[in-house]
Amino acid sequence: MSSPDQAPPPVPDDDDYSPEPVPPGSTPAPDHPPGPDPADPEWVRSELVRRTELIAAEHRAIAQAQARQAERLVELQLWSEEPQVACRLQGSLEAIHLADRDAATLSACQARAVAFGRWEDREVARRTIVSETACLLNLHERTVERLLDESLWLLSAPATFDALTAGEISYPHAKALIDQMRTLPEADQAAFEDAVLPHAKTLPVGRFTNRAQRLREKQHPESIVTRTKNALADRHTRWEPAADGMGWLHWYGTAHDTKSAFDRIDTTAKTLQKHGDTDAGTGAATGSGSAAERAEAEQQRKRGLAQLRADITRALLLDGVTPDGLGAGIRGTVMITVPVLTLLGQSDEPATLEGYGPISPETAREIAATAPSFTRLLTHPETGVVLSLGKTQYKNTKAMKKWLRMRDETCRFPGCNRPAVKSDVDHTDDWANGGSTDCDNLAHLCEAHHRLKHLSRWQVVQEPGGVLLWTSPGRRSYRTDPANPVAPPRPRPPVVTPKSRRRPAAASYLMPEHQPTRRPSPPVPENPPF
């Protein structure tokens, strides 16, 4: 509180006034907001237009960049298909020189390629540009294959490519157009493009795709019966991993089969939701059983319709059989690595599901409780390094294969995620060149990358610990690490055999036939002379 004797501080003039410095981290509120008043509706409208136009400009720039990328991809394909280029991407340069000098003579590299199942020069060139581009862009090779294929179709539709280059349509619009156009005969493709392209400039992707599908149905010369028979050959089921210990199961089949299956699942789920007294997975009634079972049944009654559909699908797929009885008693086989402390309930360290990754400890314990058998993998509780594979596993090559499968989990080519169980165990340093069958010289490669390693100019070196160092034909370096840091399996213990006899069989070990004559030693003098 100020004293009455003190004069009030002088008020500075506007010309020489400078405010006190603002403390760091604080923003002073201005007396008047800069620019137009935000409460003005016209200013808000103009600002909305300006900001959305900036986003639209970037959207057009993305479309233009994707058009240029498609053009570069086509140029890469055409360049790689030139005979003088394609043959130079095949094998080693020394082998090519030998083949150029004497076409009737095969080098060691080419002979091994023929024995392995040689690709043609054009196929090697295709695989080379796909793998080189995929590793450079950190994309899957199937994604690059799809981009290459789409780029060829895009440039074969000049009007669509020009619209994408000008930013008038997006790449998803162009992709939807060529996906429908490519199923038509070549003579009908130009008319289809002219008819459907104007709609791509005015409709969202979903509605445009539907419009293109309807127009394609009208213009296709083949009947729907013939096309359905052809499409039926592409039916498949595939699995896709998802986050948080989940996954997707995709089934591509006929419309009536997939719709009928979903209707059955949906009807069963709605019936269970209506009654609310039965578990879809076990069929246990809520009024019987122990307190824990009744609590579980009460929790099951709270499931939503989507959860009920998922549980019914699981029960039908895991426990159901085909009409001819196939599938009865068949169970899917998975490989799960569980730290021993997690299995005992003393740690929450996640387990590892082969081909997927970490799963929750509760799921691992539940699977372990019903597992018919175990493979003992003693692991260090902190580093996870394998210390033992068990006495029944190391005495033959099955132990080595199982250890490599757990170490790698997938194909070891950069970017490939094909499961190790579906891949080959390859010698990094070829057996024909003196490479040994040793854990430090073996790694999993899928069939395509196994051939790519042998038939193209890709090179690989394996370092201790299972680390693979790859060198691409473009001299770029890539490294792939093993999925699990493990030590090699212990060597086979020495075999203990009975010692060979050095005496006649009739001789006794307790009473030898001839014993040496014992002579008493002379007495020691009381005062020795030393």
Side-chain angles (χ1 to χ4, degrees):
M1 185 173 181
S2 62
S3 171
D5 297 337
Q6 295 177 343
V11 179
D13 297 334
D14 293 340
D15 296 337
D16 58 357
Y17 173 70
S18 60
E20 297 181 359
V22 180
S26 62
T27 303
D31 295 337
H32 301 284
D37 186 3
D40 183 6
E42 186 62 26
W43 178 84
V44 172
R45 187 197 66 80
S46 61
E47 189 67 11
L48 174 65
V49 172
R50 184 183 70 84
R51 292 178 182 273
T52 52
E53 281 294 340
L54 291 174
I55 297 175
E58 298 297 338
H59 186 70
R60 289 190 294 269
I62 291 173
Q64 294 169 350
Q66 289 176 317
R68 291 193 299 271
Q69 176 181 272
E71 196 171 14
R72 301 294 181 267
L73 287 170
V74 171
E75 292 174 354
L76 176 63
Q77 293 182 80
L78 297 178
W79 170 80
S80 67
E81 291 174 358
E82 296 177 5
Q84 65 271 22
V85 174
C87 68
R88 262 61 184 181
L89 294 175
Q90 174 94 250
S92 63
L93 189 60
E94 293 77 9
I96 294 172
H97 289 331
L98 288 175
D100 289 341
R101 288 197 300 266
D102 188 359
T105 303
L106 289 178
S107 66
C109 176
Q110 291 172 327
R112 187 172 68 252
V114 171
F116 191 79
R118 176 171 178 166
W119 289 328
E120 297 294 333
D121 289 350
R122 187 169 179 173
E123 180 67 17
V124 174
R126 173 81 173 186
R127 300 274 182 167
T128 299
I129 64 172
V130 168
S131 58
E132 185 84 32
T133 306
C135 292
L136 179 62
L137 302 181
N138 284 329
L139 296 176
H140 196 279
E141 290 185 20
R142 284 197 297 267
T143 303
V144 176
E145 287 272 8
R146 177 177 54 80
L147 288 174
L148 290 169
D149 190 45
E150 291 173 358
S151 299
L152 287 173
W153 278 100
L154 184 58
L155 266 72
S156 68
T160 304
F161 178 75
D162 292 341
L164 182 64
T165 303
E168 297 175 349
I169 62 174
S170 68
Y171 190 82
H173 285 89
K175 181 179 181 302
L177 189 150
I178 62 178
D179 283 345
Q180 299 300 321
M181 185 186 71
R182 67 197 303 176
T183 62
L184 293 170
E186 186 175 356
D188 300 329
Q189 292 177 2
F192 174 82
E193 182 186 12
D194 294 339
V196 78
L197 182 59
H199 299 290
K201 301 178 182 180
T202 59
L203 294 177
V205 177
R207 292 184 60 189
F208 169 71
T209 303
N210 183 266
R211 179 71 62 88
Q213 287 175 346
R214 292 177 181 272
L215 185 60
R216 177 249 189 191
E217 288 294 333
K218 293 179 180 180
Q219 294 188 358
H220 207 291
E222 292 183 350
S223 66
I224 186 66
V225 177
T226 303
R227 284 183 278 125
T228 300
K229 290 181 179 179
N230 295 334
L232 188 62
D234 296 330
R235 65 189 183 276
H236 64 273
T237 301
R238 63 183 177 88
W239 178 80
E240 177 185 352
D244 303 324
M246 306 297 286
W248 291 97
L249 183 62
H250 302 271
W251 171 30
Y252 175 73
T254 62
H256 62 275
D257 282 344
T258 53
K259 184 64 167 58
S260 299
F262 181 80
D263 287 345
R264 180 188 179 191
I265 294 170
D266 184 62
T267 302
T268 308
K270 290 179 179 178
T271 302
L272 291 174
Q273 189 181 47
K274 179 179 179 180
H275 293 83
D277 59 353
T278 305
D279 184 355
T282 62
T286 59
S288 61
S290 63
E293 293 176 349
R294 290 195 298 270
E296 176 68 18
E298 179 66 24
Q299 182 66 25
Q300 293 292 342
R301 282 209 306 267
K302 299 179 181 179
R303 293 177 294 176
L305 191 60
Q307 295 171 324
L308 282 168
R309 292 194 191 106
D311 292 344
I312 292 169
T313 305
R314 173 185 180 275
L316 292 175
L317 289 178
L318 295 182
D319 298 325
V321 297
T322 59
D324 56 0
L326 181 64
I330 297 177
R331 289 285 182 174
T333 302
V334 296
M335 183 174 181
I336 299 177
T337 304
V338 188
V340 63
L341 297 182
T342 298
L343 193 61
L344 296 176
Q346 301 178 8
S347 173
D348 288 333
E349 182 181 355
T352 302
L353 174 62
E354 181 189 28
Y356 175 78
I359 59 175
S360 67
E362 292 77 9
T363 304
R365 296 187 192 106
E366 180 182 352
I367 296 174
T370 58
S373 62
F374 287 91
T375 298
R376 184 170 66 88
L377 297 173
L378 184 61
T379 62
H380 192 280
E382 294 181 359
T383 63
V385 175
V386 172
L387 303 178
S388 173
L389 290 177
K391 294 182 179 179
T392 61
Q393 300 297 320
Y394 57 75
K395 62 182 180 181
N396 52 41
T397 57
K398 291 183 178 179
M400 186 176 292
K401 291 180 180 179
K402 184 171 292 186
W403 176 83
L404 289 169
R405 176 180 164 186
M406 185 190 65
R407 184 197 71 177
D408 294 341
E409 284 193 1
T410 63
C411 170
R412 296 294 307 281
F413 189 82
C416 185
N417 58 359
R418 187 171 182 84
V421 68
K422 299 180 180 180
S423 302
D424 303 329
V425 178
D426 172 63
H427 289 77
T428 305
D429 185 10
D430 295 344
W431 173 267
N433 294 336
S436 60
T437 305
D438 186 78
C439 294
D440 290 335
N441 192 44
L442 297 174
H444 281 92
L445 292 178
C446 66
E447 182 181 355
H449 291 130
H450 193 175
R451 293 192 176 192
L452 186 70
K453 168 181 173 286
H454 285 282
L455 304 180
S456 73
R457 300 177 68 86
W458 276 91
Q459 299 177 355
V460 61
V461 175
Q462 185 165 173
E463 291 189 342
V467 177
L468 297 186
L469 300 180
W470 292 87
T471 303
S472 73
R475 301 294 184 181
R476 296 185 177 97
S477 299
Y478 302 96
R479 166 176 170 153
T480 61
D481 295 299
N484 297 301
V486 293
R490 292 181 178 179
R492 182 182 304 177
V495 179
V496 179
T497 58
K499 295 181 179 180
S500 58
R501 294 185 176 184
R502 296 183 179 179
R503 299 172 180 171
S508 173
Y509 288 97
L510 298 179
M511 297 294 296
E513 293 181 351
H514 304 283
Q515 294 185 0
T517 304
R518 304 185 66 178
R519 297 179 180 178
S521 57
V524 180
E526 295 182 359
N527 297 319
F530 51 81

